[in-house]
Amino acid sequence: MPADAQISRLKPRRTDIRRENERTILDAAEKVFAEAGFGGATMQLIADMAGLPKANLHYYFATKEDLYRRVVQQIFEIWLDAAMLFDDAPGPVEGIGGYIDAKMDISRTHPYGSKVWASEVMHGAPVIQDYLETTLRDWTEGRIRAIQRWIDEGKMRPVNPRHLLYMLWATTQHYADFGHQIQTLNNDRPLSDRQWLEAKASVKDLVLRGIGAI
Amino acid sequence: MPADAQISRLKPRRTDIRRENERTILDAAEKVFAEAGFGGATMQLIADMAGLPKANLHYYFATKEDLYRRVVQQIFEIWLDAAMLFDDAPGPVEGIGGYIDAKMDISRTHPYGSKVWASEVMHGAPVIQDYLETTLRDWTEGRIRAIQRWIDEGKMRPVNPRHLLYMLWATTQHYADFGHQIQTLNNDRPLSDRQWLEAKASVKDLVLRGIGAI
DNA sequence: TTTTATGTTGACCGGTTGGTCAGGTTGTGG
DNA sequence: CCACAACCTGACCAACCGGTCAACATAAAA
C-alpha cells in the first residue's frame, strides 16, 4: 500500500461515493430546477448536467419530488444559518445591517437556490408548506419581537416590523431572483465585486436610514 | 329586430366573439402559468379553466409559447402605464410615493401576471429578452435621470438611483410574488383592506425616509 | 477466496403532452 | 336566400417523460 493512501485514494470508499454523488446530483438539480422550473426540469437534463446516467439518479433519489424537496430544504437552512446574526446584535445597525450583508452574500453565492425557493413559494409552496407554518412562522415572530425591542429602546423609529422584514427579504433576494434582469440593465455584464459592494452599501444605507437607525 | 338589439344581442357579433374568447383564454392562461409555471402548465388545464375545448385554444393561439408571450406582454404594459406617474411628479414624495402606491395596487389586482413575469425573468427571460434590452433599459435610464435631478435639486439625499429602483421593484412585487408566504405568516388569511393600506404606508414611509424626502 | 451488499446502467414501458386535422356549425356580406 | 369566411371540436398522433428492472461491476466483509 502506497504511503499517500490516506490522502489520495485511487479507489474511493463506499461512504465517499454516496456523499459525492449525492452532492453532484443536488448541485446539478439546483441549477436545472432554477433555470427550468420544476415542471420544465427533466431527470434527463439533471443527469446530463451531473454527468451521470438517468437511472443512477433514481438510485439515490427515489422520485423527482424527493430530489426537489432536498434542494429546497438546502437553501432554507442556509438562510436560517445567516439569520443567527440577528439575535446576538445589540442594535439594528449591527443586527439588520449584518443580516442584509449576509443575505446579499447568499444571493451572490447561491442564486440558484434562491430562485428555486421563490418558484416554490410562487406556486403555493406545495412541498414546503409545513416549513412555512412552523419554522418560518416561529422565526418571524421572534425577529419581530427583537425589532420591537429595539424600537422600545429608542434605537430606531417605530416602523411596522413585519413589513420591514418583507422589505429585507424582497430586496436582498431580488439580486438573486432577478439577477438576469439586473445583468441586462448592467450592459449584459454580471455585477463586479465593486458593484456588489455598492449594492450592499446602498441597500443598507436606504434601510438603516429608513428606520432611523443612522 | 327588437328595440334593445344594440345593448343586448343574443347572438354575438363576430368581432365580439374573437375579443371575448381571447380575453377568456388569456385570463385562464395567466392564472395557470402563474400557479404551475410554463413547464407545469398544460394546454388542457388552461382549456378547462377557460371552459373551452383544447383545440379551440389552438385556433386563437398557434402554440403554447404564443399564448405565454401574450400573457407576459400584458403585465409588462400594465406596469409601464403605472410608471407614467413618475414623470409628471414635481418631487420624490409625489413621484416615488405615487409609483409605490400604483405598483402595490397592481400587486393586489394582478398577482398572477406579476408571478408570470418573475418566473420568466428567473428562467433567463427566454421570450422577453428584447423587451429588457430596449423598453425596460430605456425606461430605467429615464427614471434614473429623473431621480438624479431630484437629488441635484436637493429634494432627496444622494442615493444610488439604480439600487433605489431595484428596491422599489423588489418590495412592491414581493407582495404579489410571495403573496402565499405573506398569507401564511398572516395566519393563513389574505391581507385585509386595512392591512393593504398598512403595507402601502409602511413601504412608502420606509423608502421616503430612506431617501430623505420626508 | 468466497460471499454479500452497494453501486451502475441500457433498455424498456405506460401515461401524458403539444399540436394537427377533417368535418361540422354559425354569422355575415351580397 | 346563397356562398363564403370565420369559428368550433372530437379524435388522433408522434414525441417525450418519470420511473422500473434485470443484469452486471465493484468494494467490503467473512
Side-chain angles (χ1 to χ4, degrees), chain A residues 14 18 21 53 55-56 59-60:
Chain A
R14 270 272 140 80
R18 178 158 215 109
N21 279 344
N56 209 346
Y59 176 73
Y60 288 104

Side-chain angles (χ1 to χ4, degrees), chain B residues 8 11 25 27 51 58-59 68 75 83 116 125 129 138 145:
Chain B
S8 113
K11 299 196 175 182
I25 294 169
D27 287 346
H58 284 285
Y59 176 74
Y68 174 76
I75 184 67
V116 175
Q129 181 62 27
D138 294 343
R145 278 195 296 274

Side-chain angles (χ1 to χ4, degrees), chain B residues 24-200:
Chain B
T24 302
I25 294 169
L26 280 171
D27 287 346
E30 183 178 80
K31 187 171 183 180
V32 173
F33 281 135
E35 289 177 344
F38 178 81
T42 69
M43 295 298 276
Q44 188 61 60
L45 258 164
I46 297 171
D48 293 345
M49 181 78 63
L52 294 171
K54 187 178 65 127
N56 209 346
L57 268 62
H58 284 285
Y59 176 74
Y60 288 104
F61 301 91
T63 67
K64 188 182 175 185
E65 281 81 3
D66 284 338
L67 180 52
Y68 174 76
R69 194 190 318 270
R70 286 281 300 273
V71 170
V72 175
Q73 286 175 346
Q74 209 169 232
I75 184 67
F76 188 59
E77 284 164 15
I78 291 173
W79 277 337
L80 275 185
D81 287 345
M84 301 283 188
L85 298 165
F86 225 111
D87 298 304
D88 311 329
V93 175
E94 302 85 355
I96 294 177
Y99 184 55
I100 291 173
D101 276 331
K103 286 220 63 202
M104 289 292 283
D105 288 340
I106 296 173
S107 281
R108 192 177 191 188
T109 56
H110 295 80
Y112 297 130
S114 181
K115 287 177 185 175
V116 175
W117 173 271
S119 191
E120 163 70 6
V121 172
M122 282 201 300
H123 297 355
V127 314
I128 46 110
Q129 181 62 27
D130 53 332
Y131 275 76
L132 297 186
E133 290 177 355
T134 57
T135 316
L136 183 63
R137 192 175 278 172
D138 294 343
W139 185 90
T140 304
E141 297 306 324
R143 248 39 56 181
I144 286 177
R145 278 195 296 274
I147 294 171
Q148 191 59 52
R149 195 181 320 119
W150 290 331
I151 293 174
D152 295 340
E153 293 169 356
K155 291 176 176 171
M156 54 180 283
R157 286 199 306 119
V159 301
N160 186 311
R162 193 173 293 271
H163 294 294
L164 171 59
L165 277 180
Y166 294 163
M167 176 175 281
L168 294 179
W169 293 343
T171 304
T172 55
Q173 288 163 222
H174 182 83
Y175 285 86
D177 302 341
F178 288 75
H180 177 81
Q181 179 172 296
I182 290 174
Q183 179 169 336
T184 298
L185 294 178
N186 193 44
N187 297 316
D188 293 314
R189 278 192 286 268
L191 295 191
S192 64
D193 290 350
R194 173 185 292 274
Q195 286 175 316
W196 270 99
L197 285 177
E198 171 74 10
K200 285 168 65 169

